[in-house]
Structures are given as structure tokens and as C-alpha cells.
Amino acid sequence: MKVKDIIITALRFIGREDVSEKLKAGAVMGGGSADGDNGETEVFTAEESEVIDTLLYCFNSVEDELARCYLPLETEEKMTSQSGVYPFGIFQKRPVKIISVKSGKKNVKYSLSQKSLNCDSGEITVRYGFAPVKKDLNGESEFSTLLSNERLVAAGTASEYCLIDGEAKLSAVWESVYRGEIEHVQRTRLSGLRLPPRRWV
């Protein structure tokens, strides 16, 4: 799920189909006047560029909120170190919570410092929760999974934008959609974790 596609949807949600269509057609930032009739690439006006920049800010805020509060992001990574010191800077993602550390199939005792994970093993598999990094239009959403969708992130983005823009009533509408989508995803996740019913022999 590309960030650009989410922003295009959010633009439609806030009633800016004009900017949505230009973004879909490949217009670029520039702040000048748009002129697509002579075959040249269209350029967003300063006002349109500001709308997109604000939506990007809102998108990044929503991704961070989803990851920290509602739909935690987790990954697993194999790492090696001769010293047993694993600086957080070498992790592929930005860790916020260590879930488990294993060497082979055995759990390994570890400690955390401000800058690293430390243990007595030179080869480990770390499972950890991570925070999303800031993205631009060409980025990929961290929530590009079957359990989340474009509508969820776009509704949250639209709600944040409307709040910044002083449209409190419209913000509340999209906030309601956003919360509903979160609840739907959480229910879907929980139903996938249900145990099968007992069967009497």
C-alpha cells in the first residue's frame, strides 16, 4: 500500500478531488501554476503543495499512533556479533520493545542499555516491536497487510487534517470511521486467535 495511494484517498475524503486527480496523474511539487495541456508535467500550486505536505504530516502521525496504541508492528531479525553487543543502529527497523531473544531455539538472557542489546551469544534471532519511520509520497505504508486497509489509514489522515484545518465536525466524521476500522481490524485479529471448540470423544 503506497503512501501516495493513501494520500489520494484522503484527498477525496476531505473534498479535494482536484488535487487528488493531479496527484494520480503524476503532478510534481513546485509551487508554480499547473499547465498540463502542452505535454509538460503538471506542477502543484503552492496551496496544493501545502495541502499534500500537511496530509503527509498527518499520515505519519497516524501510522505512529496505530503502531504504538492499536496495531503493534513486530518483526524478527537474525543478527551476529563477536562481542555480544548489538547496537540499535544496526537493527533494520527502529525498535521500541524487545519481545524475545533466541540462540537457535533457546531463549537467551539479555540486557538493554541506552544504545544496544547485550547478551552472551554471538548469533541471535531477535523478535521486536518497532516504530514506523517518517515516509514521503513514494514510501510504503507499514500497514500494507490483509488485516489493515487503505480506508483505515486514509480516514485517520483525513481526520487529523480536518482538525488542523479547523473543520471540527468533518474531523469527527472521519475520526468515527477511523475508530470503526480499528475495531474491525482488532476483531479480525482476535477471531484468528480463537481456539477450536472442544470435541467430546
Side-chain angles (χ1 to χ4, degrees):
M1 192 163 50
K2 292 289 185 187
V3 174
K4 179 179 175 180
D5 295 329
I6 294 168
I7 299 300
I8 286 170
T9 301
L11 282 163
R12 291 203 317 269
F13 287 172
I14 65 171
R16 292 304 304 263
E17 286 85 356
D18 55 333
V19 185
S20 174
E21 289 304 314
K22 284 177 72 172
L23 184 56
K24 194 187 295 185
V28 296
M29 300 293 199
S33 58
D35 185 4
D37 296 333
N38 57 6
E40 294 180 9
T41 303
E42 281 194 290
V43 178
F44 289 113
T45 65
E47 184 271 339
E48 291 168 341
S49 293
E50 186 179 348
V51 170
I52 291 172
D53 285 342
T54 304
L55 281 168
L56 272 171
Y57 170 82
C58 295
F59 163 83
N60 283 300
S61 296
V62 167
E63 268 214 332
D64 192 67
E65 179 185 50
L66 284 170
R68 291 180 187 275
C69 304
Y70 303 107
L71 305 170
L73 297 167
E74 295 181 8
T75 190
E76 197 169 85
E77 192 175 335
K78 290 184 178 180
M79 308 176 84
T80 58
S81 168
Q82 292 182 343
S83 64
V85 176
Y86 298 87
F88 294 129
I90 68 171
F91 284 56
Q92 291 178 1
K93 304 283 187 179
R94 190 171 55 161
V96 293
K97 178 184 179 183
I98 302 298
I99 298 164
S100 68
V101 180
K102 294 185 177 183
S103 181
K105 293 184 178 180
K106 293 183 178 180
N107 287 324
V108 175
K109 288 185 178 180
Y110 64 91
S111 63
L112 300 174
S113 69
Q114 193 173 3
K115 295 184 178 180
S116 65
L117 180 151
N118 312 296
C119 65
D120 292 331
S121 181
E123 188 171 329
I124 60 173
T125 300
V126 187
R127 184 159 193 80
Y128 61 95
F130 66 92
V133 296
K134 186 178 178 182
K135 299 176 184 71
D136 60 19
L137 284 174
N138 298 314
E140 185 81 18
S141 172
E142 297 291 353
F143 295 94
S144 298
T145 67
L146 293 175
L147 290 180
S148 55
N149 56 52
E150 191 176 296
R151 181 177 168 84
L152 183 156
V153 187
T157 301
S159 175
E160 286 288 313
Y161 179 88
C162 291
L163 198 61
I164 290 171
D165 202 39
E167 297 282 348
K169 287 184 179 178
L170 193 55
S171 175
V173 169
W174 290 115
E175 177 75 6
S176 177
V177 173
Y178 173 59
R179 298 294 169 191
E181 292 291 330
I182 289 172
E183 288 175 12
H184 171 72
V185 172
Q186 289 176 330
R187 280 195 308 271
T188 305
R189 280 188 167 182
L190 284 173
S191 66
L193 295 173
R194 283 180 187 156
L195 295 173
R198 282 185 175 182
R199 308 247 180 235
W200 293 103
V201 179

